[in-house]
Amino acid sequence: FIGSGAVGKTLAVALSHRGYPVVAAASRTFASAQDLAKRIDACQAYHSIQKAVDHADFIFITTFDGVIKTVADEIKWLPGQGVAHCSGVTSLDVLDGPASLGVEVGSIHPLQAFASVETALDALPGSTFGIEGAGDVGDYLTTLAEDLGGRPIALRSEDKPLYHASVVTIGGVLMAQAAAVAQVWEDRFGVPRNEANSSLMPILRGVADVIEAKGFPDAMAGPYVRG
């Protein structure tokens, strides 16, 4: 794993729990790579990205989106290796460098919030994984997602912007709406914002449960049903 933030750590630990040998980690800071490695038996943290890559057959790049290409292009790839990035919006173009050298390339994006490794590990089963990649690497990433208890969906490069926008709409926009309502409660009702958050969480969970149980349009209620 190259990049040891919450996404990298969560995927690495989840894969190790399901029998995948996670053997190497590197990151922008060595301490972060060490934190990932100490969570997994037989995983080694490396100061050098290249040394980490040299010890693995398949590499996951879980860095910030803007540096995926830079990282991929600076690596001296070995014959037979594969690589996947974990960005929801970035196409496979950023991996053209390794692809030109015969490296199998793909992407896998876990559609989940990563507040912490522990909470994300609990939430990962049942999550959707957006997968881009043809041939063996696509099959490998699909199997990997299924082994994590996920629901894989195949994406094309041209799908990525709309896919990511839809994810932001269901996640980020919902979060912003909740924050706005909590602010109203603080400004108008005198309920502190974080206390309002606690008051609103049951209905947020309840809405999610109803959507899952009934689907649309049967899940719709209140003003919609009354016209």
Side-chain angles (χ1 to χ4, degrees), residues 12-53:
V13 172
L15 287 171
S16 71
H17 286 173
R18 285 153 183 82
Y20 286 79
V22 179
V23 297
S27 195
R28 184 171 55 85
T29 65
F30 184 59
S32 185
Q34 285 181 306
D35 185 58
L36 187 157
K38 74 180 183 182
R39 297 169 183 265
I40 300 170
D41 291 341
C43 183
Q44 178 70 44
Y46 292 90
H47 288 280
S48 162
I49 289 176
Q50 186 63 54
K51 286 185 178 179
V53 170

PDB file of all heavy atoms in Angstrom, residues 12-53:
ATOM      1  N   ALA A  12      -6.245  -2.197   3.759  1.00  0.00           N
ATOM      2  CA  ALA A  12      -5.154  -3.120   4.081  1.00  0.00           C
ATOM      3  C   ALA A  12      -5.558  -4.074   5.199  1.00  0.00           C
ATOM      4  O   ALA A  12      -5.356  -5.292   5.094  1.00  0.00           O
ATOM      5  CB  ALA A  12      -3.908  -2.329   4.477  1.00  0.00           C
ATOM      6  N   VAL A  13      -6.120  -3.544   6.260  1.00  0.00           N
ATOM      7  CA  VAL A  13      -6.526  -4.390   7.387  1.00  0.00           C
ATOM      8  C   VAL A  13      -7.656  -5.330   6.971  1.00  0.00           C
ATOM      9  O   VAL A  13      -7.647  -6.526   7.310  1.00  0.00           O
ATOM     10  CB  VAL A  13      -6.957  -3.518   8.587  1.00  0.00           C
ATOM     11  CG1 VAL A  13      -7.561  -4.381   9.691  1.00  0.00           C
ATOM     12  CG2 VAL A  13      -5.763  -2.739   9.131  1.00  0.00           C
ATOM     13  N   ALA A  14      -8.637  -4.809   6.237  1.00  0.00           N
ATOM     14  CA  ALA A  14      -9.760  -5.641   5.807  1.00  0.00           C
ATOM     15  C   ALA A  14      -9.279  -6.791   4.921  1.00  0.00           C
ATOM     16  O   ALA A  14      -9.728  -7.940   5.069  1.00  0.00           O
ATOM     17  CB  ALA A  14     -10.784  -4.788   5.066  1.00  0.00           C
ATOM     18  N   LEU A  15      -8.355  -6.507   4.009  1.00  0.00           N
ATOM     19  CA  LEU A  15      -7.838  -7.562   3.144  1.00  0.00           C
ATOM     20  C   LEU A  15      -7.037  -8.594   3.929  1.00  0.00           C
ATOM     21  O   LEU A  15      -7.140  -9.802   3.674  1.00  0.00           O
ATOM     22  CB  LEU A  15      -6.965  -6.943   2.048  1.00  0.00           C
ATOM     23  CG  LEU A  15      -7.724  -6.190   0.953  1.00  0.00           C
ATOM     24  CD1 LEU A  15      -6.748  -5.437   0.051  1.00  0.00           C
ATOM     25  CD2 LEU A  15      -8.571  -7.146   0.126  1.00  0.00           C
ATOM     26  N   SER A  16      -6.257  -8.123   4.890  1.00  0.00           N
ATOM     27  CA  SER A  16      -5.472  -9.067   5.697  1.00  0.00           C
ATOM     28  C   SER A  16      -6.390  -9.983   6.501  1.00  0.00           C
ATOM     29  O   SER A  16      -6.093 -11.171   6.681  1.00  0.00           O
ATOM     30  CB  SER A  16      -4.515  -8.318   6.623  1.00  0.00           C
ATOM     31  OG  SER A  16      -5.203  -7.658   7.671  1.00  0.00           O
ATOM     32  N   HIS A  17      -7.515  -9.445   6.966  1.00  0.00           N
ATOM     33  CA  HIS A  17      -8.476 -10.264   7.719  1.00  0.00           C
ATOM     34  C   HIS A  17      -9.081 -11.361   6.850  1.00  0.00           C
ATOM     35  O   HIS A  17      -9.564 -12.373   7.378  1.00  0.00           O
ATOM     36  CB  HIS A  17      -9.601  -9.385   8.268  1.00  0.00           C
ATOM     37  CG  HIS A  17      -9.177  -8.539   9.428  1.00  0.00           C
ATOM     38  ND1 HIS A  17      -9.984  -7.564   9.982  1.00  0.00           N
ATOM     39  CD2 HIS A  17      -8.027  -8.517  10.161  1.00  0.00           C
ATOM     40  CE1 HIS A  17      -9.352  -6.984  10.978  1.00  0.00           C
ATOM     41  NE2 HIS A  17      -8.160  -7.541  11.109  1.00  0.00           N
ATOM     42  N   ARG A  18      -9.061 -11.157   5.542  1.00  0.00           N
ATOM     43  CA  ARG A  18      -9.659 -12.131   4.622  1.00  0.00           C
ATOM     44  C   ARG A  18      -8.602 -12.957   3.891  1.00  0.00           C
ATOM     45  O   ARG A  18      -8.873 -13.540   2.844  1.00  0.00           O
ATOM     46  CB  ARG A  18     -10.581 -11.409   3.649  1.00  0.00           C
ATOM     47  CG  ARG A  18     -11.894 -11.000   4.336  1.00  0.00           C
ATOM     48  CD  ARG A  18     -12.532  -9.797   3.694  1.00  0.00           C
ATOM     49  NE  ARG A  18     -13.740  -9.403   4.417  1.00  0.00           N
ATOM     50  CZ  ARG A  18     -13.747  -8.665   5.527  1.00  0.00           C
ATOM     51  NH1 ARG A  18     -12.607  -8.262   6.065  1.00  0.00           N
ATOM     52  NH2 ARG A  18     -14.877  -8.351   6.124  1.00  0.00           N
ATOM     53  N   GLY A  19      -7.401 -12.983   4.445  1.00  0.00           N
ATOM     54  CA  GLY A  19      -6.382 -13.886   3.949  1.00  0.00           C
ATOM     55  C   GLY A  19      -5.464 -13.344   2.884  1.00  0.00           C
ATOM     56  O   GLY A  19      -4.593 -14.070   2.385  1.00  0.00           O
ATOM     57  N   TYR A  20      -5.621 -12.074   2.509  1.00  0.00           N
ATOM     58  CA  TYR A  20      -4.703 -11.483   1.525  1.00  0.00           C
ATOM     59  C   TYR A  20      -3.401 -11.098   2.227  1.00  0.00           C
ATOM     60  O   TYR A  20      -3.439 -10.422   3.265  1.00  0.00           O
ATOM     61  CB  TYR A  20      -5.323 -10.243   0.893  1.00  0.00           C
ATOM     62  CG  TYR A  20      -6.421 -10.531  -0.111  1.00  0.00           C
ATOM     63  CD1 TYR A  20      -7.710 -10.842   0.311  1.00  0.00           C
ATOM     64  CD2 TYR A  20      -6.167 -10.482  -1.479  1.00  0.00           C
ATOM     65  CE1 TYR A  20      -8.727 -11.108  -0.605  1.00  0.00           C
ATOM     66  CE2 TYR A  20      -7.174 -10.739  -2.402  1.00  0.00           C
ATOM     67  CZ  TYR A  20      -8.456 -11.054  -1.957  1.00  0.00           C
ATOM     68  OH  TYR A  20      -9.449 -11.318  -2.862  1.00  0.00           O
ATOM     69  N   PRO A  21      -2.251 -11.484   1.697  1.00  0.00           N
ATOM     70  CA  PRO A  21      -0.977 -11.144   2.348  1.00  0.00           C
ATOM     71  C   PRO A  21      -0.577  -9.696   2.054  1.00  0.00           C
ATOM     72  O   PRO A  21      -0.091  -9.383   0.966  1.00  0.00           O
ATOM     73  CB  PRO A  21       0.016 -12.128   1.722  1.00  0.00           C
ATOM     74  CG  PRO A  21      -0.574 -12.440   0.383  1.00  0.00           C
ATOM     75  CD  PRO A  21      -2.074 -12.370   0.524  1.00  0.00           C
ATOM     76  N   VAL A  22      -0.795  -8.835   3.003  1.00  0.00           N
ATOM     77  CA  VAL A  22      -0.408  -7.424   2.880  1.00  0.00           C
ATOM     78  C   VAL A  22       1.001  -7.308   3.452  1.00  0.00           C
ATOM     79  O   VAL A  22       1.198  -7.436   4.657  1.00  0.00           O
ATOM     80  CB  VAL A  22      -1.393  -6.514   3.636  1.00  0.00           C
ATOM     81  CG1 VAL A  22      -0.974  -5.051   3.516  1.00  0.00           C
ATOM     82  CG2 VAL A  22      -2.807  -6.699   3.091  1.00  0.00           C
ATOM     83  N   VAL A  23       1.978  -7.063   2.566  1.00  0.00           N
ATOM     84  CA  VAL A  23       3.372  -7.245   2.974  1.00  0.00           C
ATOM     85  C   VAL A  23       4.168  -5.961   3.127  1.00  0.00           C
ATOM     86  O   VAL A  23       5.233  -5.967   3.753  1.00  0.00           O
ATOM     87  CB  VAL A  23       4.107  -8.162   1.974  1.00  0.00           C
ATOM     88  CG1 VAL A  23       3.476  -9.552   1.960  1.00  0.00           C
ATOM     89  CG2 VAL A  23       4.099  -7.551   0.571  1.00  0.00           C
ATOM     90  N   ALA A  24       3.681  -4.835   2.552  1.00  0.00           N
ATOM     91  CA  ALA A  24       4.515  -3.637   2.547  1.00  0.00           C
ATOM     92  C   ALA A  24       3.662  -2.378   2.557  1.00  0.00           C
ATOM     93  O   ALA A  24       2.568  -2.347   1.991  1.00  0.00           O
ATOM     94  CB  ALA A  24       5.427  -3.624   1.327  1.00  0.00           C
ATOM     95  N   ALA A  25       4.193  -1.341   3.206  1.00  0.00           N
ATOM     96  CA  ALA A  25       3.506  -0.050   3.268  1.00  0.00           C
ATOM     97  C   ALA A  25       4.529   1.070   3.188  1.00  0.00           C
ATOM     98  O   ALA A  25       5.615   0.978   3.751  1.00  0.00           O
ATOM     99  CB  ALA A  25       2.701   0.071   4.565  1.00  0.00           C
ATOM    100  N   ALA A  26       4.162   2.117   2.475  1.00  0.00           N
ATOM    101  CA  ALA A  26       4.962   3.341   2.433  1.00  0.00           C
ATOM    102  C   ALA A  26       3.994   4.504   2.369  1.00  0.00           C
ATOM    103  O   ALA A  26       2.851   4.360   1.930  1.00  0.00           O
ATOM    104  CB  ALA A  26       5.899   3.354   1.232  1.00  0.00           C
ATOM    105  N   SER A  27       4.451   5.664   2.824  1.00  0.00           N
ATOM    106  CA  SER A  27       3.559   6.811   2.855  1.00  0.00           C
ATOM    107  C   SER A  27       4.380   8.092   2.859  1.00  0.00           C
ATOM    108  O   SER A  27       5.620   8.067   2.889  1.00  0.00           O
ATOM    109  CB  SER A  27       2.661   6.748   4.096  1.00  0.00           C
ATOM    110  OG  SER A  27       1.569   7.641   4.000  1.00  0.00           O
ATOM    111  N   ARG A  28       3.661   9.216   2.824  1.00  0.00           N
ATOM    112  CA  ARG A  28       4.339  10.510   2.837  1.00  0.00           C
ATOM    113  C   ARG A  28       5.164  10.662   4.108  1.00  0.00           C
ATOM    114  O   ARG A  28       6.248  11.253   4.093  1.00  0.00           O
ATOM    115  CB  ARG A  28       3.297  11.630   2.735  1.00  0.00           C
ATOM    116  CG  ARG A  28       3.870  13.033   2.648  1.00  0.00           C
ATOM    117  CD  ARG A  28       2.763  14.024   2.333  1.00  0.00           C
ATOM    118  NE  ARG A  28       1.686  13.949   3.288  1.00  0.00           N
ATOM    119  CZ  ARG A  28       1.655  14.603   4.467  1.00  0.00           C
ATOM    120  NH1 ARG A  28       2.662  15.373   4.811  1.00  0.00           N
ATOM    121  NH2 ARG A  28       0.627  14.491   5.275  1.00  0.00           N
ATOM    122  N   THR A  29       4.651  10.135   5.209  1.00  0.00           N
ATOM    123  CA  THR A  29       5.425  10.115   6.449  1.00  0.00           C
ATOM    124  C   THR A  29       5.641   8.662   6.877  1.00  0.00           C
ATOM    125  O   THR A  29       4.731   7.836   6.761  1.00  0.00           O
ATOM    126  CB  THR A  29       4.707  10.870   7.582  1.00  0.00           C
ATOM    127  OG1 THR A  29       3.492  10.200   7.923  1.00  0.00           O
ATOM    128  CG2 THR A  29       4.387  12.305   7.144  1.00  0.00           C
ATOM    129  N   PHE A  30       6.836   8.380   7.351  1.00  0.00           N
ATOM    130  CA  PHE A  30       7.159   7.008   7.763  1.00  0.00           C
ATOM    131  C   PHE A  30       6.297   6.570   8.933  1.00  0.00           C
ATOM    132  O   PHE A  30       5.900   5.400   9.028  1.00  0.00           O
ATOM    133  CB  PHE A  30       8.638   6.908   8.108  1.00  0.00           C
ATOM    134  CG  PHE A  30       9.085   5.519   8.459  1.00  0.00           C
ATOM    135  CD1 PHE A  30       8.939   4.487   7.552  1.00  0.00           C
ATOM    136  CD2 PHE A  30       9.655   5.256   9.697  1.00  0.00           C
ATOM    137  CE1 PHE A  30       9.351   3.193   7.874  1.00  0.00           C
ATOM    138  CE2 PHE A  30      10.070   3.971  10.023  1.00  0.00           C
ATOM    139  CZ  PHE A  30       9.921   2.934   9.108  1.00  0.00           C
ATOM    140  N   ALA A  31       5.949   7.502   9.824  1.00  0.00           N
ATOM    141  CA  ALA A  31       5.126   7.158  10.985  1.00  0.00           C
ATOM    142  C   ALA A  31       3.767   6.618  10.557  1.00  0.00           C
ATOM    143  O   ALA A  31       3.233   5.684  11.168  1.00  0.00           O
ATOM    144  CB  ALA A  31       4.945   8.379  11.885  1.00  0.00           C
ATOM    145  N   SER A  32       3.202   7.189   9.499  1.00  0.00           N
ATOM    146  CA  SER A  32       1.916   6.717   9.009  1.00  0.00           C
ATOM    147  C   SER A  32       2.033   5.309   8.426  1.00  0.00           C
ATOM    148  O   SER A  32       1.168   4.455   8.659  1.00  0.00           O
ATOM    149  CB  SER A  32       1.372   7.683   7.951  1.00  0.00           C
ATOM    150  OG  SER A  32       0.073   7.310   7.542  1.00  0.00           O
ATOM    151  N   ALA A  33       3.105   5.056   7.699  1.00  0.00           N
ATOM    152  CA  ALA A  33       3.340   3.711   7.167  1.00  0.00           C
ATOM    153  C   ALA A  33       3.537   2.715   8.300  1.00  0.00           C
ATOM    154  O   ALA A  33       3.049   1.574   8.237  1.00  0.00           O
ATOM    155  CB  ALA A  33       4.557   3.711   6.244  1.00  0.00           C
ATOM    156  N   GLN A  34       4.228   3.131   9.341  1.00  0.00           N
ATOM    157  CA  GLN A  34       4.424   2.258  10.506  1.00  0.00           C
ATOM    158  C   GLN A  34       3.099   1.941  11.182  1.00  0.00           C
ATOM    159  O   GLN A  34       2.870   0.810  11.628  1.00  0.00           O
ATOM    160  CB  GLN A  34       5.364   2.928  11.507  1.00  0.00           C
ATOM    161  CG  GLN A  34       6.825   2.923  11.117  1.00  0.00           C
ATOM    162  CD  GLN A  34       7.687   3.593  12.175  1.00  0.00           C
ATOM    163  OE1 GLN A  34       7.425   4.747  12.564  1.00  0.00           O
ATOM    164  NE2 GLN A  34       8.705   2.902  12.648  1.00  0.00           N
ATOM    165  N   ASP A  35       2.212   2.929  11.254  1.00  0.00           N
ATOM    166  CA  ASP A  35       0.917   2.703  11.886  1.00  0.00           C
ATOM    167  C   ASP A  35       0.112   1.672  11.110  1.00  0.00           C
ATOM    168  O   ASP A  35      -0.586   0.847  11.702  1.00  0.00           O
ATOM    169  CB  ASP A  35       0.138   4.017  11.985  1.00  0.00           C
ATOM    170  CG  ASP A  35      -1.160   3.860  12.743  1.00  0.00           C
ATOM    171  OD1 ASP A  35      -1.109   3.430  13.915  1.00  0.00           O
ATOM    172  OD2 ASP A  35      -2.233   4.155  12.179  1.00  0.00           O
ATOM    173  N   LEU A  36       0.192   1.723   9.771  1.00  0.00           N
ATOM    174  CA  LEU A  36      -0.488   0.705   8.971  1.00  0.00           C
ATOM    175  C   LEU A  36       0.147  -0.662   9.216  1.00  0.00           C
ATOM    176  O   LEU A  36      -0.550  -1.643   9.477  1.00  0.00           O
ATOM    177  CB  LEU A  36      -0.431   1.065   7.486  1.00  0.00           C
ATOM    178  CG  LEU A  36      -1.237   0.191   6.511  1.00  0.00           C
ATOM    179  CD1 LEU A  36      -1.542   0.968   5.223  1.00  0.00           C
ATOM    180  CD2 LEU A  36      -0.533  -1.118   6.152  1.00  0.00           C
ATOM    181  N   ALA A  37       1.456  -0.722   9.142  1.00  0.00           N
ATOM    182  CA  ALA A  37       2.151  -2.005   9.227  1.00  0.00           C
ATOM    183  C   ALA A  37       1.938  -2.700  10.571  1.00  0.00           C
ATOM    184  O   ALA A  37       1.819  -3.929  10.628  1.00  0.00           O
ATOM    185  CB  ALA A  37       3.645  -1.808   8.973  1.00  0.00           C
ATOM    186  N   LYS A  38       1.870  -1.923  11.645  1.00  0.00           N
ATOM    187  CA  LYS A  38       1.734  -2.555  12.962  1.00  0.00           C
ATOM    188  C   LYS A  38       0.360  -3.183  13.172  1.00  0.00           C
ATOM    189  O   LYS A  38       0.182  -3.995  14.086  1.00  0.00           O
ATOM    190  CB  LYS A  38       2.017  -1.535  14.070  1.00  0.00           C
ATOM    191  CG  LYS A  38       0.920  -0.515  14.302  1.00  0.00           C
ATOM    192  CD  LYS A  38       1.296   0.448  15.416  1.00  0.00           C
ATOM    193  CE  LYS A  38       0.181   1.451  15.715  1.00  0.00           C
ATOM    194  NZ  LYS A  38       0.566   2.412  16.761  1.00  0.00           N
ATOM    195  N   ARG A  39      -0.581  -2.851  12.317  1.00  0.00           N
ATOM    196  CA  ARG A  39      -1.914  -3.431  12.420  1.00  0.00           C
ATOM    197  C   ARG A  39      -2.015  -4.801  11.755  1.00  0.00           C
ATOM    198  O   ARG A  39      -3.028  -5.490  11.892  1.00  0.00           O
ATOM    199  CB  ARG A  39      -2.948  -2.499  11.760  1.00  0.00           C
ATOM    200  CG  ARG A  39      -3.077  -1.125  12.419  1.00  0.00           C
ATOM    201  CD  ARG A  39      -3.907  -0.189  11.549  1.00  0.00           C
ATOM    202  NE  ARG A  39      -3.994   1.164  12.102  1.00  0.00           N
ATOM    203  CZ  ARG A  39      -4.985   1.613  12.858  1.00  0.00           C
ATOM    204  NH1 ARG A  39      -6.014   0.804  13.132  1.00  0.00           N
ATOM    205  NH2 ARG A  39      -4.989   2.838  13.318  1.00  0.00           N
ATOM    206  N   ILE A  40      -0.956  -5.196  11.008  1.00  0.00           N
ATOM    207  CA  ILE A  40      -1.023  -6.405  10.193  1.00  0.00           C
ATOM    208  C   ILE A  40       0.230  -7.240  10.407  1.00  0.00           C
ATOM    209  O   ILE A  40       1.353  -6.751  10.263  1.00  0.00           O
ATOM    210  CB  ILE A  40      -1.133  -6.026   8.695  1.00  0.00           C
ATOM    211  CG1 ILE A  40      -2.400  -5.196   8.447  1.00  0.00           C
ATOM    212  CG2 ILE A  40      -1.126  -7.271   7.818  1.00  0.00           C
ATOM    213  CD1 ILE A  40      -2.454  -4.577   7.071  1.00  0.00           C
ATOM    214  N   ASP A  41       0.058  -8.500  10.730  1.00  0.00           N
ATOM    215  CA  ASP A  41       1.205  -9.396  10.888  1.00  0.00           C
ATOM    216  C   ASP A  41       1.954  -9.520   9.565  1.00  0.00           C
ATOM    217  O   ASP A  41       1.358  -9.639   8.497  1.00  0.00           O
ATOM    218  CB  ASP A  41       0.728 -10.787  11.324  1.00  0.00           C
ATOM    219  CG  ASP A  41       0.170 -10.783  12.743  1.00  0.00           C
ATOM    220  OD1 ASP A  41       0.474  -9.839  13.498  1.00  0.00           O
ATOM    221  OD2 ASP A  41      -0.600 -11.718  13.083  1.00  0.00           O
ATOM    222  N   ALA A  42       3.270  -9.505   9.645  1.00  0.00           N
ATOM    223  CA  ALA A  42       4.164  -9.703   8.492  1.00  0.00           C
ATOM    224  C   ALA A  42       4.141  -8.555   7.500  1.00  0.00           C
ATOM    225  O   ALA A  42       4.681  -8.677   6.398  1.00  0.00           O
ATOM    226  CB  ALA A  42       3.841 -11.014   7.766  1.00  0.00           C
ATOM    227  N   CYS A  43       3.569  -7.420   7.872  1.00  0.00           N
ATOM    228  CA  CYS A  43       3.620  -6.246   7.014  1.00  0.00           C
ATOM    229  C   CYS A  43       4.768  -5.351   7.471  1.00  0.00           C
ATOM    230  O   CYS A  43       4.921  -5.096   8.665  1.00  0.00           O
ATOM    231  CB  CYS A  43       2.304  -5.472   7.058  1.00  0.00           C
ATOM    232  SG  CYS A  43       2.253  -4.041   5.951  1.00  0.00           S
ATOM    233  N   GLN A  44       5.550  -4.872   6.512  1.00  0.00           N
ATOM    234  CA  GLN A  44       6.726  -4.064   6.815  1.00  0.00           C
ATOM    235  C   GLN A  44       6.534  -2.641   6.306  1.00  0.00           C
ATOM    236  O   GLN A  44       6.087  -2.436   5.176  1.00  0.00           O
ATOM    237  CB  GLN A  44       7.961  -4.682   6.151  1.00  0.00           C
ATOM    238  CG  GLN A  44       9.243  -3.922   6.351  1.00  0.00           C
ATOM    239  CD  GLN A  44       9.742  -3.986   7.779  1.00  0.00           C
ATOM    240  OE1 GLN A  44       9.737  -5.054   8.390  1.00  0.00           O
ATOM    241  NE2 GLN A  44      10.161  -2.858   8.324  1.00  0.00           N
ATOM    242  N   ALA A  45       6.874  -1.667   7.129  1.00  0.00           N
ATOM    243  CA  ALA A  45       6.859  -0.264   6.705  1.00  0.00           C
ATOM    244  C   ALA A  45       8.207   0.094   6.099  1.00  0.00           C
ATOM    245  O   ALA A  45       9.261  -0.321   6.606  1.00  0.00           O
ATOM    246  CB  ALA A  45       6.556   0.644   7.886  1.00  0.00           C
ATOM    247  N   TYR A  46       8.181   0.890   5.028  1.00  0.00           N
ATOM    248  CA  TYR A  46       9.411   1.286   4.345  1.00  0.00           C
ATOM    249  C   TYR A  46       9.474   2.810   4.214  1.00  0.00           C
ATOM    250  O   TYR A  46       8.462   3.462   3.955  1.00  0.00           O
ATOM    251  CB  TYR A  46       9.478   0.658   2.945  1.00  0.00           C
ATOM    252  CG  TYR A  46       9.657  -0.839   2.963  1.00  0.00           C
ATOM    253  CD1 TYR A  46       8.544  -1.676   2.979  1.00  0.00           C
ATOM    254  CD2 TYR A  46      10.915  -1.413   2.977  1.00  0.00           C
ATOM    255  CE1 TYR A  46       8.687  -3.058   3.006  1.00  0.00           C
ATOM    256  CE2 TYR A  46      11.080  -2.794   2.998  1.00  0.00           C
ATOM    257  CZ  TYR A  46       9.962  -3.615   3.023  1.00  0.00           C
ATOM    258  OH  TYR A  46      10.112  -4.988   3.056  1.00  0.00           O
ATOM    259  N   HIS A  47      10.677   3.345   4.380  1.00  0.00           N
ATOM    260  CA  HIS A  47      10.884   4.772   4.127  1.00  0.00           C
ATOM    261  C   HIS A  47      10.720   5.068   2.637  1.00  0.00           C
ATOM    262  O   HIS A  47      10.249   6.135   2.258  1.00  0.00           O
ATOM    263  CB  HIS A  47      12.287   5.200   4.572  1.00  0.00           C
ATOM    264  CG  HIS A  47      12.459   5.252   6.059  1.00  0.00           C
ATOM    265  ND1 HIS A  47      12.023   6.313   6.824  1.00  0.00           N
ATOM    266  CD2 HIS A  47      13.024   4.367   6.929  1.00  0.00           C
ATOM    267  CE1 HIS A  47      12.315   6.088   8.089  1.00  0.00           C
ATOM    268  NE2 HIS A  47      12.923   4.918   8.186  1.00  0.00           N
ATOM    269  N   SER A  48      11.134   4.124   1.812  1.00  0.00           N
ATOM    270  CA  SER A  48      11.150   4.307   0.365  1.00  0.00           C
ATOM    271  C   SER A  48       9.937   3.643  -0.284  1.00  0.00           C
ATOM    272  O   SER A  48       9.661   2.455  -0.049  1.00  0.00           O
ATOM    273  CB  SER A  48      12.434   3.693  -0.215  1.00  0.00           C
ATOM    274  OG  SER A  48      12.328   3.482  -1.597  1.00  0.00           O
ATOM    275  N   ILE A  49       9.228   4.396  -1.128  1.00  0.00           N
ATOM    276  CA  ILE A  49       8.119   3.825  -1.890  1.00  0.00           C
ATOM    277  C   ILE A  49       8.630   2.695  -2.777  1.00  0.00           C
ATOM    278  O   ILE A  49       8.005   1.637  -2.884  1.00  0.00           O
ATOM    279  CB  ILE A  49       7.432   4.912  -2.732  1.00  0.00           C
ATOM    280  CG1 ILE A  49       6.650   5.868  -1.824  1.00  0.00           C
ATOM    281  CG2 ILE A  49       6.505   4.299  -3.788  1.00  0.00           C
ATOM    282  CD1 ILE A  49       6.008   7.026  -2.548  1.00  0.00           C
ATOM    283  N   GLN A  50       9.770   2.924  -3.419  1.00  0.00           N
ATOM    284  CA  GLN A  50      10.309   1.910  -4.329  1.00  0.00           C
ATOM    285  C   GLN A  50      10.571   0.589  -3.620  1.00  0.00           C
ATOM    286  O   GLN A  50      10.249  -0.486  -4.136  1.00  0.00           O
ATOM    287  CB  GLN A  50      11.598   2.413  -4.980  1.00  0.00           C
ATOM    288  CG  GLN A  50      12.142   1.467  -6.056  1.00  0.00           C
ATOM    289  CD  GLN A  50      11.188   1.320  -7.225  1.00  0.00           C
ATOM    290  OE1 GLN A  50      10.763   2.296  -7.826  1.00  0.00           O
ATOM    291  NE2 GLN A  50      10.825   0.071  -7.546  1.00  0.00           N
ATOM    292  N   LYS A  51      11.130   0.655  -2.429  1.00  0.00           N
ATOM    293  CA  LYS A  51      11.416  -0.582  -1.699  1.00  0.00           C
ATOM    294  C   LYS A  51      10.136  -1.309  -1.328  1.00  0.00           C
ATOM    295  O   LYS A  51      10.071  -2.542  -1.355  1.00  0.00           O
ATOM    296  CB  LYS A  51      12.247  -0.276  -0.450  1.00  0.00           C
ATOM    297  CG  LYS A  51      13.696   0.070  -0.759  1.00  0.00           C
ATOM    298  CD  LYS A  51      14.505   0.246   0.514  1.00  0.00           C
ATOM    299  CE  LYS A  51      15.963   0.544   0.183  1.00  0.00           C
ATOM    300  NZ  LYS A  51      16.782   0.742   1.412  1.00  0.00           N
ATOM    301  N   ALA A  52       9.100  -0.556  -0.980  1.00  0.00           N
ATOM    302  CA  ALA A  52       7.812  -1.184  -0.680  1.00  0.00           C
ATOM    303  C   ALA A  52       7.261  -1.885  -1.915  1.00  0.00           C
ATOM    304  O   ALA A  52       6.801  -3.033  -1.854  1.00  0.00           O
ATOM    305  CB  ALA A  52       6.823  -0.136  -0.174  1.00  0.00           C
ATOM    306  N   VAL A  53       7.322  -1.199  -3.050  1.00  0.00           N
ATOM    307  CA  VAL A  53       6.818  -1.768  -4.305  1.00  0.00           C
ATOM    308  C   VAL A  53       7.601  -3.021  -4.699  1.00  0.00           C
ATOM    309  O   VAL A  53       7.024  -4.003  -5.194  1.00  0.00           O
ATOM    310  CB  VAL A  53       6.880  -0.716  -5.434  1.00  0.00           C
ATOM    311  CG1 VAL A  53       6.606  -1.340  -6.794  1.00  0.00           C
ATOM    312  CG2 VAL A  53       5.885   0.411  -5.157  1.00  0.00           C
TER     313      VAL A  53
END
